[in-house]
């Protein structure tokens, strides 16, 4: 299959996913389960990454400022800008595309391989709707929170290392965080996040759902790799497009 | 009600796998589809249950042309179909109870208590009491098959499909599963279709047999006529081992 056939089949899959669910109560239950597997279980890695990245950004910015003409609060300002604009949304989503994406692809792919998807279809359940919609909704719901948490923790991590290592005083750091703060930068990041979340849920579902069952576990593994590569590329592309239109 | 297959043809990317098969699967009987590996048994079955669309021909459930129906019309028939898959196809993340309850949750308006009652009834029927809260990974292959049977009969289906119900099971457990399928067929007067290449099953429950050879309807009959037929391919299938061939020499 070439790229255009994949895109066509992907769009048809999304169409199926947004059909009316068989039972709302079942969707609600699956939504909560997915929030847990996609969101809650990613919190610790996101927290760790954000704290360390915030800390490293503070050290790097400080080490690059030699001129006495540049005020100390620049450290806080630069850290804030990098965390909010790029790291907490794009980088975190790229990392989660790997973690969550491979997880979704192998889950759905294994269901294909073991005929669980056939079992749903024979019963008369729309398997795409049943499997993919809860993942889309859960991702759209939980990713903005994850990104906000990452922003907060990144700035805290920077503050901790900055004050503890004597790089900057707390007052100056906070002054930097507030310097020319435009709340739209957070909105911009969250808009990007919603797009990323959608593709982090759907691209791996696609590769898992259409895995060739006669290829066995090997194919399921490959579908995980393919979905991580594809969703990372889509994230980078969307990042470019949205940044171009929203910030220029 | 019976299932009638009329002149079904199915191929993949130019290769014809099912070549013009017609057959009637009779109500209240265990109908068998047998044949060598790769002969097209699973593909034919997937055409019958609608997992694959036929290239031409039709599948008729109780007088209604399933092949001509759209998705929502098919749903009515689908809720009357129970299917047991080769690898059981239980939902890994659901317990035994949740697996059997799933079709009830999806397609009925039963209360939680009513569903639980039905689940326990089905589990008792397959002799799996008090296993409700185990997960598929925690039970043996034979038990998984029985849970899958319980799930397949949860909605009281008129049609039951079993794709190689004995694959991966020891001979003794295989006979238990075969007998269970046979008894359920009689109890609920279902139209049951069993795919198998296990000669034990053929002899035990082969009331109406379709033998497929390279995608063609090669022979039809039952477990009595199959041992005496002169058909070369059937003979090779039935008397596959040297031992059986020698035995045949003594029988005929
Ligand atoms: N989805 C598919 N695409 C292409 N070829 C298939 C597909 N499914 C089955 N086949 C081919 O059809 C033939 C019959 O397969 P199958 O019905 O699974 O055999 P069996 O009788 O062992 O169940 C095999 O040669 C198989 O490779
Ligand atoms: Mg098969």
């Amino acid at each position: 299959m070439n790229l255009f056939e994949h895109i066509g089949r992907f769009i048809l899959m999304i169409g199926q996913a947004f059909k009316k669910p068989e039972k709302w109560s079942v969707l609600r239950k699956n939504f909560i389960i997915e929030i847990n597997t996609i969101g809650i279980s990613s919190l610790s890695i996101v927290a760790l990454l954000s704290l360390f990245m915030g800390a490293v950004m503070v050290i790097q910015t400080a080490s690059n400022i030699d001129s006495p003409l540049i005020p100390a609060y620049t450290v806080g300002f630069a850290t804030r800008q990098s965390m909010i604009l790029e790291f907490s949304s794009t980088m975190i989503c790229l990392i989660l595309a790997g973690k969550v994406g491979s997880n979704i692809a192998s889950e759905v792919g294994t269901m294909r391989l073991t005929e669980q998807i056939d079992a749903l279809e024979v019963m008369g359940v729309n398997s795409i709707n049943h499997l993919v919609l809860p993942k889309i909704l859960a991702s759209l719901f939980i990713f903005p929170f994850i990104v906000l948490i990452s922003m907060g923790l990144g700035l805290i991590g920077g503050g901790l290392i900055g004050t503890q290592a004597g790089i900057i005083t707390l007052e100056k750091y906070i002054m930097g965080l507030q310097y020319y703060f435009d709340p739209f930068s957070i909105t911009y990041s969250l808009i990007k996040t919603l797009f990323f979340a959608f593709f982090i849920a759907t691209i791996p579902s696609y590769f898992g759902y259409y895995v060739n069952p006669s290829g066995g576990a090997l194919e399921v593994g490959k579908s995980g790799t393919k979905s991580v590569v594809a969703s990372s590329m889509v994230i980078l592309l969307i990042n470019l497009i949205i940044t171009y239109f929203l910030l220029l | 009600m019976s299932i009638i297959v009329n002149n079904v043809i199915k191929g993949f990317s130019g290769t014809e796998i099912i070549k013009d098969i017609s057959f009637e699967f009779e109500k209240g009987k265990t109908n068998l589809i047998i044949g060598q590996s790769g002969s097209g048994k699973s593909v034919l079955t997937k055409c019958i249950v609608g997992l694959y669309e036929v290239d031409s021909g039709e599948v008729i459930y109780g007088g209604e042309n399933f092949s001509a129906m759209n998705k929502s019309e098919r749903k009515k028939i689908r809720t009357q179909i129970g299917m047991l898959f080769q690898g059981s196809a239980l939902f890994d993340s659901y317990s035994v109870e949740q697996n059997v309850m799933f079709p009830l949750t999806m397609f009925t308006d039963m209360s939680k208590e009513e569903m639980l009652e039905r689940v326990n009834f089905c589990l008792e029927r397959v002799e799996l009491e008090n296993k409700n809260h185990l997960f598929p990974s925690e039970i043996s292959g034979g038990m998984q098959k029985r849970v899958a049977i319980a799930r397949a009969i949860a909605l009281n289906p008129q049609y039951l499909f079993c794709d190689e119900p004995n694959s991966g099971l020891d001979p003794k457990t295989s006979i238990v599963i075969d007998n269970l399928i046979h008894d359920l067929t009689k109890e609920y007067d279902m139209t049951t279709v069993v795919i198998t290449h296990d000669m034990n099953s053929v002899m035990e429950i082969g009331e109406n047999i379709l033998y497929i050879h390279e995608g063609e309807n090669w022979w039809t009959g039952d477990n009595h006529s199959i041992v005496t037929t002169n058909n070369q391919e059937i003979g090779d299938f039935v008397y596959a081992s040297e031992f059986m061939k020698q035995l045949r020499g003594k029988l005929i």
Side-chain angles (χ1 to χ4, degrees):
Chain A
M1 278 176 87
N2 65 34
L3 181 64
F4 294 102
E5 287 169 321
H6 277 296
I7 292 173
R9 196 166 65 168
F10 177 78
I11 292 170
L12 289 178
M13 183 190 86
I14 301 300
Q16 282 299 319
F18 282 99
K19 285 264 165 72
K20 186 173 158 289
E22 195 72 46
K23 278 269 167 79
W24 291 101
S25 58
V26 176
L27 175 65
R28 189 166 357 105
K29 208 175 109 214
N30 288 337
F31 173 70
I32 290 166
I33 292 172
E34 295 297 348
I35 285 194
N36 200 32
T37 40
I38 293 174
I40 310 298
S41 70
S42 302
L43 280 181
S44 50
I45 177 88
V46 169
L48 204 66
L49 284 167
S50 308
L51 281 169
F52 277 81
M53 280 310 290
V56 168
M57 278 178 198
V58 163
I59 298 172
Q60 289 199 344
T61 318
S63 77
N64 280 302
I65 299 174
D66 321 326
S67 162
L69 289 177
I70 299 173
Y73 63 70
T74 308
V75 171
F77 171 78
T79 306
R80 180 198 83 204
Q81 290 298 78
S82 340
M83 285 305 294
I84 291 183
L85 290 174
E86 280 308 317
F87 183 79
S88 291
S89 49
T90 313
M91 291 311 290
I92 287 291
C93 284
L94 275 174
I95 289 159
L96 291 188
K99 179 188 175 287
V100 175
S102 55
N103 192 341
I104 291 178
S106 64
E107 178 199 329
V108 179
T110 305
M111 290 190 76
R112 165 67 72 196
L113 195 65
T114 56
E115 299 181 301
Q116 292 176 53
I117 290 179
D118 287 343
L120 288 169
E121 287 290 325
V122 168
M123 285 179 202
V125 177
N126 179 338
S127 58
I128 294 178
N129 173 270
H130 180 73
L131 296 174
V132 182
L133 185 58
K135 295 189 202 308
I136 298 177
L137 297 180
S139 294
L140 290 176
F141 177 80
I142 200 72
F143 268 74
F145 289 104
I146 293 180
V147 166
L148 287 173
I149 289 170
S150 162
M151 289 175 184
L153 288 177
L155 299 183
I156 290 172
L160 281 175
I161 199 82
T163 51
Q164 294 308 309
I167 296 172
I168 187 172
T169 63
L170 188 60
E171 292 74 32
K172 287 261 164 63
Y173 184 68
I174 291 177
M175 191 177 152
L177 295 187
Q178 293 169 334
Y179 184 74
Y180 270 102
F181 177 64
D182 179 2
F184 180 72
S185 59
I186 293 185
T187 314
Y188 152 80
S189 238
L190 292 182
I191 291 173
K192 291 202 296 192
T193 301
L194 288 178
F195 281 91
F196 300 159
F198 179 79
F199 287 104
I200 289 175
T202 49
I203 292 179
S205 296
Y206 171 82
F207 282 106
Y209 191 86
Y210 290 108
V211 75
N212 175 7
S214 51
L218 194 66
E219 274 307 304
V220 175
K222 275 190 204 157
S223 78
T225 315
K226 277 189 224 161
S227 60
V228 173
V229 172
S231 48
S232 302
M233 299 207 333
V234 169
I235 287 175
L236 292 174
L237 194 68
I238 289 175
N239 189 33
L240 183 67
I241 295 170
I242 294 185
T243 308
Y244 181 84
F245 282 108
L246 289 187
L247 294 192
L248 263 188
Chain B
M1 309 231 221
S2 66
I3 303 169
I4 298 170
V5 171
N6 279 335
N7 305 101
V8 164
I9 296 176
K10 175 70 186 173
F12 295 102
S13 47
T15 325
E16 219 170 67
I17 304 290
I18 300 299
K19 299 160 188 158
D20 195 12
I21 288 188
S22 299
F23 191 68
E24 176 169 358
F25 299 94
E26 294 168 24
K27 183 179 167 68
K29 285 192 179 173
T30 42
N31 302 274
L32 264 49
I33 300 177
I34 64 172
Q36 293 176 357
S37 287
S39 55
K41 305 183 294 293
S42 294
V43 172
L44 176 64
T45 310
K46 286 182 177 174
C47 288
I48 298 173
V49 298
L51 285 172
Y52 293 151
E53 292 302 323
V54 298
D55 292 343
S56 74
E58 53 199 16
V59 178
I60 294 166
Y61 282 85
E64 294 186 80
N65 189 344
F66 184 73
S67 310
M69 293 178 184
N70 64 30
K71 228 177 168 163
S72 59
E73 289 168 331
R74 281 184 184 187
K75 205 169 225 166
K76 208 177 102 257
I77 304 269
R78 285 203 187 286
T79 52
Q80 299 168 14
I81 296 178
M83 185 155 179
L84 171 61
F85 287 87
Q86 203 162 340
S88 296
L90 296 175
F91 304 123
D92 310 307
S93 55
Y94 287 6
S95 66
V96 165
E97 179 179 296
Q98 288 168 325
N99 262 288
V100 182
M101 201 180 276
F102 182 78
L104 303 173
T105 320
M106 274 310 208
F107 297 106
T108 70
D109 292 317
M110 289 175 158
S111 70
K112 186 94 194 183
E113 291 74 37
E114 288 170 319
M115 284 198 276
L116 207 56
E117 200 176 309
R118 179 70 190 156
V119 168
N120 287 330
F121 174 84
C122 293
L123 285 175
E124 260 169 51
R125 186 60 196 82
V126 298
E127 286 164 32
L128 276 179
E129 297 93 347
N130 306 322
K131 299 276 188 282
N132 293 44
H133 301 296
L134 293 178
F135 281 83
S137 59
E138 297 172 326
I139 57 179
S140 70
M143 281 158 126
Q144 290 178 3
K145 284 273 154 75
R146 283 188 276 160
V147 176
I149 293 175
R151 182 177 70 180
I153 61 169
L155 286 173
N156 236 326
Q158 296 191 23
Y159 311 99
L160 180 64
F161 290 85
C162 310
D163 190 355
E164 308 214 2
N166 297 334
S167 70
L169 299 183
D170 60 87
K172 211 171 149 197
T173 313
S174 297
I175 290 173
V176 172
I177 297 289
D178 280 346
N179 287 336
L180 182 59
I181 292 169
H182 184 75
D183 294 347
L184 287 167
T185 305
K186 299 297 165 191
E187 253 172 79
Y188 300 109
D189 200 20
M190 293 186 288
T191 308
T192 298
V193 179
V194 180
I195 303 175
T196 185
H197 51 216
D198 179 354
M199 269 318 289
N200 282 325
S201 307
V202 174
M203 301 317 292
E204 286 275 332
I205 60 170
E207 295 177 286
N208 182 28
I209 301 174
L210 165 64
Y211 181 91
I212 301 185
H213 180 70
E214 290 174 2
E216 288 180 59
N217 176 342
W218 203 254
W219 181 88
T220 58
D222 62 19
N223 50 3
H224 299 292
S225 53
I226 198 168
V227 280
T228 51
T229 177
N230 289 321
N231 189 301
Q232 177 66 39
E233 279 74 21
I234 304 278
D236 291 347
F237 182 79
V238 176
Y239 304 99
S241 68
E242 268 317 305
F243 172 74
M244 288 301 285
K245 280 189 186 114
Q246 284 170 15
L247 202 62
R248 185 189 198 193
K250 295 195 177 95
L251 280 174
I252 300 172

